[in-house]
Structures are given as C-alpha cells and as structure tokens.
Amino acid sequence: MMRMITYAQALNEALRECMRQDEKVVLLGEDIGRYGGIFQVSAGLLDEFGPQRVMDTPISEAGFVGACVGAALTGMRPVAEIMFIDFSTVAMDMIINQMAKMHYMFGGRGRVPMVLRVNIGAGRGTAAQHSQSFHALFMHIPGLLVAAPSTAYDAKGLMIEAIRNDNPVIFVEHKKLYNEKGPVPEESYTIPFGQAEVKREGKDLTIVATHAMVVRSLGIAEALAREGIEIEIVDPRTLTPLDKGTILDSVKKTGRLLVADEGHKTCGVAAEISAMVAEEALYYLKAPVLRVCSPDTPVPFSPPLEKAFIPDEKDLLPAIRHLMEYV
C-alpha cells in the first residue's frame, strides 16, 4: 500500500525494517540516538532498539567510521551517519584506505558490508563547510558503491539494498530533499544498484539529473512541454555502478544531452557522464553535450550569492534553449 511520506521518513522506515529483520544491523553517529540525527532520519530508533544498536558517538568521524569497518569485517552490518559530507574529510583514511580496500587486499576473504550515510547540497545558509557536494570524489575510489536517491521511494528501496549489500556503500542524501514527500509502499522492497530510472519520457532532449536536480529538471520539463519541447529525464539512482545502458539509449533517441548535478563542474559527476557518452555515443549526438553544475568556488554564506551558486532553473533553461538550436 502506497502512502505519501517524506524522504527522511522513508529512510527511517528502511533503517527500522532492516534492524527488525537483522540484529546485526547497528547504527553509529553523532546525535543519532535521543536527538534522532541532525535531519531526524534515525528518530525513534533508540527507543525501539536500545543503546546497544543505536550508538551516539563522540565527535570523531575517523573513530566511528573505523569502528564500523572493524565491525563489518567481523560480521556486523553497521550504518554510520556523518552529519554533513564535509566532515567525511577527517575520516578519509578509514574510507579510502580501509573501507574501500579490505575486500581486495584480503583476497576476497574479508567483507565490509557497511553503509556510510552522508548528505550534500547548498541552500540552508550553512556556508562553505556544511554545504558541499563532492560526492563525485567517492565515484573515483575503486571498491566503493555510491547511491544517490532523488525521491522518497528511491530512498527507501536503495537504503534497504545498501544495508543488505555485502560491499561498502556511500549513501549520498540531499538536504533539500529530506522534507519532500512522495508515494512509498508500506511493505519492504529493494532497488537493485545500477538500474537508472527514466523519470519522464521525451523525444527532444535528454537530461541526466541527480538528487535535487531531478526535481528541478522535472519542473522545467513540464513548463517546456507547453511549448512542444519534450524532455526525457534519466535519474541514475546509483553513480557506482552507473547504468550506462539507460543513459546511452536515451541519448540515441533524443540526440541531445544535458547533465545536471549539484557538484562542481570540474572533474564531477557530469564530467564523467559526458565523457562516457562522448566515448560511446558520439555519432548519435546532434549537439555538444552541456553540463549544469555548481561553479568551481566554495559555497557562499551570503544568501543572494548562495542562491546564485546553486544550479537550478535559471541555469537549466538557457542550456536547454541552446541545445534546441541544433537540428
């Protein structure tokens, strides 16, 4: 049965279901217990599962991420929450050298089935150290899977899949989506990694969009449909593995590609997808590939400057108009 619940509630429901089904699932992070997490994703879980399974940790990301790596190697399925992706930088040795590498370095005899929850996105006035979107960095590291849900439905299905997966997963949420509502089944379900979804069918132009850029792209697509421009929107849902097939099929149909991601433009998610299409579908393109991303600057604290920084409809519309000039 479908209900309308928020992205944060869908994540909470996924965590609760997995904890009920498997006592090896434990949560660690700062203020995730009585407070329920900075964005209330773990609200109520301490009351149901107790402090042995919902553990408030000291402000030491390297410490509790490292504890999760060790716990996963010994058979647990930990889910760690880092309040903001910005703070993952103090745990990079644990993430890049330990979490991502153990399975490979042990010749397949060790597994690290853990989930590291982080969030990206500007727009809350939290300045340069709490607003970054460098999720592309984790795509660059072999051994890590990277999930990127844009809807409440995807958030629940991808989270359950992430917890049950035997590989380490970086689960990248978006701050501006936590309060967005969408239809979510009451029952348990998973979304396999590496399966993109066409959020909107179209024939004139493909937008491959991630996170909040999916929502922004859908809005502008509906507006342009009234002018007769039919935009297809592809949401990869996981960045590693990336569903190249669905992206390439869409580009082959429309002949025009715009990639929209809130990360920085240089060496970002959009750069990788653009390069992949250039390598594998160049002769299907009617126009150059365009990217709509954040500029290569820190996120401003000033509200008007932050608004200008965030890629949205003001950036999507001229890019779409430009692509549609090619016939």
Side-chain angles (χ1 to χ4, degrees), residues 285-297:
L285 291 171
K286 303 173 186 171
V289 176
L290 293 186
R291 292 172 283 166
V292 169
C293 305
S294 296
D296 294 333
T297 71

Side-chain angles (χ1 to χ4, degrees), residues 200 203-204 220-231 317 320-321 324:
R200 185 183 192 283
K203 60 179 177 54
D204 296 318
I220 205 161
E222 291 303 318
L224 288 173
R226 292 191 283 275
E227 299 180 16
I229 300 173
E230 293 295 340
I231 297 174
L317 185 57
I320 293 167
R321 298 272 189 222
M324 291 305 297

Side-chain angles (χ1 to χ4, degrees), residues 271-312:
E272 174 60 29
I273 293 172
S274 300
M276 184 273 290
V277 170
E279 286 179 339
E280 302 189 31
L282 180 65
Y283 294 109
Y284 293 90
L285 291 171
K286 303 173 186 171
V289 176
L290 293 186
R291 292 172 283 166
V292 169
C293 305
S294 296
D296 294 333
T297 71
V299 182
F301 175 65
S302 155
L305 290 180
E306 184 184 36
K307 183 173 173 43
F309 173 94
I310 297 170
D312 58 16

Side-chain angles (χ1 to χ4, degrees), residues 7 9 14 16 26 32 45 53 56 97 134 142 165 179 190 226 245 255 260 276 288-289 291 317:
Y7 185 93
Q9 290 169 329
R16 188 184 302 275
V26 295
I32 66 166
L45 300 181
R53 298 185 64 195
D56 277 322
N97 290 327
F134 53 69
N165 199 293
N179 292 323
T190 61
R226 292 191 283 275
M276 184 273 290
V289 176
R291 292 172 283 166
L317 185 57

Side-chain angles (χ1 to χ4, degrees), residues 29-37 42-47 54-57:
E30 298 152 5
D31 288 337
I32 66 166
R34 189 61 59 200
Y35 184 64
S42 54
L45 300 181
L46 175 65
D47 292 335
V54 181
M55 286 169 262
D56 277 322
T57 66

Side-chain angles (χ1 to χ4, degrees), residues 171-234:
F171 201 90
V172 185
E173 301 158 18
H174 195 290
K175 299 182 195 73
K176 299 295 283 184
L177 296 176
Y178 282 124
N179 292 323
E180 291 288 325
K181 286 188 174 181
V184 178
E186 287 186 5
E187 60 270 21
S188 184
Y189 63 96
T190 61
I191 296 173
F193 284 2
Q195 283 191 8
E197 183 179 40
V198 177
K199 299 290 197 206
R200 185 183 192 283
E201 298 274 357
K203 60 179 177 54
D204 296 318
L205 185 151
T206 297
I207 299 180
V208 177
T210 64
H211 289 113
M213 296 306 292
V214 174
V215 179
R216 295 161 190 163
S217 297
L218 284 168
I220 205 161
E222 291 303 318
L224 288 173
R226 292 191 283 275
E227 299 180 16
I229 300 173
E230 293 295 340
I231 297 174
E232 181 150 297
I233 297 175
V234 178

